[in-house]
Amino acid sequence: MINRRKFLRHSLCAAGATLLAAELRAGIPLAAARPLVISTWAPNVKANAAAWEILAKGGKALDAVEKGVMVPEADPEDTSVGYGGLPDRDGRVTLDACIMDEKGNCGSVMCLEHIVHPVQVARLVMEKTPHVVLVGDGALQFALANGFKKENLLTASSEKIWKEWLRTSKYDPGDTMKYMKEKRSAGGKDNHDTIGMLALDAMGNISGACSTSGMAFKLHGRVGDSPIIGAGLFVDNEVGAATATGVGEEVIRICGAHTVVEAMRYGKSPKEACKLAVERMYKLRKGSIEDKQIGFIAVNIAGETGAYSLKEGFTYACRFSDGLDVVRSADYLI
Ligand code: ASP
């Protein structure tokens, strides 16, 4: 049950209060707004469906986001996450992931190689160690010690794209994103990008998870926003949660997901809060980020969702009830 006093005390947002009043007038319990799951990017309807299997049975948001994120991680066609993810400039597939629950428990792995499901390793870091983050070889050792199998994550098609890129070896995040977009549309697939997933379960608890192979052709060892708690993902069960996608360096500079959650704490709706973060980023970086994309999605404890991006083209997938997938295009700034 949502603690209504707490809800009102934090005065989440005018829209949230209106929703609450309307629900109370109509005699609809707040639970009507949940469970729900939202993810960055339209193709992640498949990931939402996997998460929904848990949520629909009254399961925990934490289990739902882990299971959901594992879908693109295992999909070789998804070139931005897990198996089949595009490699760094040295041809190494290095993965970043994190997970956070309603109690502020969190775990993260950065620059992890050879493991198909980094989100599961991140969860184990959270549950089995006194730490929050494990990186590189240490993360791999930890995964292997916990029964994960070492695998080759570089698929033939990702290797081919990398070899093609090597001919120019030009790296610029904006350019790389454009290049990847062209590649994807040439292959007829809309299969980007980092997955950030947020779920609100029937008990009123929120959890989130994020997983990516990061920017294609990055320097070896580069880590983006996605596995950084507060940048790529943040959850505060008194307020809501947010997650990000796009050029991670820009998200890190403004502690993106945390900024969104704090804006919700002080009264913004999820969409307004995402917009505030994008505007802050643009104010800081105008002139340098026009060729890049950054997007946020958010949910508050009343079950309202929203998103906003820097540029046109950011989509997100929502599931609010059995079998009903909703894909939305985020509003954008420039
Ligand atoms: N945020 C990811 C990163 O910077 C990439 C992405 O979302 O496309 O590693």
Side-chain angles (χ1 to χ4, degrees):
M1 274 294 284
I2 282 184
N3 177 334
R4 291 203 168 94
R5 227 177 305 148
K6 227 181 229 173
F7 176 84
L8 290 172
R9 192 174 68 230
H10 288 284
S11 161
L12 254 183
C13 59
T18 312
L19 175 73
L20 174 63
E23 285 188 334
L24 291 177
R25 264 200 313 278
I28 301 169
L30 255 185
R34 57 193 198 223
L36 65 87
V37 57
I38 60 172
S39 296
T40 53
W41 304 109
N44 286 323
V45 290
K46 286 181 278 176
N48 285 356
W52 189 260
E53 280 176 27
I54 291 180
L55 294 170
K57 287 187 207 133
K60 286 170 63 178
L62 180 67
D63 296 326
V65 294
E66 181 188 22
K67 178 132 184 257
V69 162
M70 286 170 69
V71 172
E73 282 183 343
D75 182 355
E77 301 273 297
D78 191 320
T79 53
S80 307
V81 182
Y83 176 56
L86 287 166
D88 64 17
R89 62 185 50 202
D90 302 338
R92 295 163 75 162
V93 181
T94 65
L95 305 178
D96 298 332
C98 72
I99 193 160
M100 187 166 191
D101 76 6
E102 76 280 2
K103 296 191 184 103
N105 296 312
C106 47
S108 161
V109 287
M110 302 183 182
C111 209
L112 173 63
E113 294 180 76
H114 306 299
I115 302 293
V116 176
H117 290 300
V119 72
Q120 288 189 301
V121 186
R123 182 165 178 177
L124 278 188
V125 172
M126 169 174 111
E127 290 177 342
K128 286 197 160 187
T129 80
H131 309 306
V132 169
V133 184
L134 290 180
V135 303
D137 280 350
L140 178 60
Q141 270 173 38
F142 173 76
L144 297 177
N146 281 283
F148 286 84
K149 240 176 72 209
K150 193 169 176 177
E151 300 191 46
N152 172 25
L153 304 182
L154 186 64
T155 56
S157 70
S158 286
E159 187 174 10
K160 191 164 160 242
I161 297 173
W162 168 61
K163 287 200 167 143
E164 213 175 284
W165 174 83
L166 276 180
R167 283 195 227 138
T168 56
S169 296
K170 181 169 179 269
Y171 182 77
D172 170 275
D175 251 27
T176 304
M177 286 186 109
K178 209 167 124 239
Y179 174 85
M180 289 321 306
K181 207 169 160 206
E182 279 157 15
K183 289 267 128 217
R184 283 166 186 139
S185 35
K189 289 200 184 78
D190 177 20
N191 62 348
H192 51 88
D193 236 312
T194 294
I195 181 164
M197 175 180 276
L198 308 172
L200 171 62
D201 64 28
M203 285 80 75
N205 290 323
I206 302 178
S207 290
C210 198
S211 187
T212 189
S213 50
M215 298 298 294
F217 322 131
K218 61 196 173 185
L219 276 175
H220 181 65
R222 178 265 187 192
V223 170
D225 60 314
S226 306
I228 299 179
I229 300 295
L233 174 72
F234 195 67
V235 177
D236 182 327
N237 217 49
E238 287 196 344
V239 178
T243 186
T245 182
V247 177
E249 283 76 0
E250 305 304 334
V251 179
I252 292 170
R253 275 184 239 285
I254 63 150
C255 294
H258 184 260
T259 294
V260 173
V261 172
E262 289 309 289
M264 290 195 286
R265 188 189 309 280
Y266 295 110
K268 299 280 186 201
S269 72
K271 179 180 162 184
E272 287 166 354
C274 293
K275 183 166 183 249
L276 178 141
V278 172
E279 284 170 347
R280 184 173 299 175
M281 183 184 288
Y282 191 57
K283 194 170 168 210
L284 192 66
R285 298 280 293 156
K286 195 171 175 183
S288 309
I289 57 168
E290 283 74 2
D291 60 341
K292 298 174 186 164
Q293 176 63 300
I294 295 101
F296 293 101
I297 60 171
V299 61
N300 67 21
I301 53 158
E304 291 177 284
T305 57
Y308 204 80
S309 59
L310 181 66
K311 295 197 306 187
E312 190 175 8
F314 174 45
T315 57
Y316 62 112
C318 315
R319 192 175 261 230
F320 304 114
S321 62
D322 275 336
L324 185 67
D325 288 311
V326 181
V327 170
R328 291 182 174 155
S329 292
D331 285 345
Y332 52 93
L333 190 65
I334 57 176

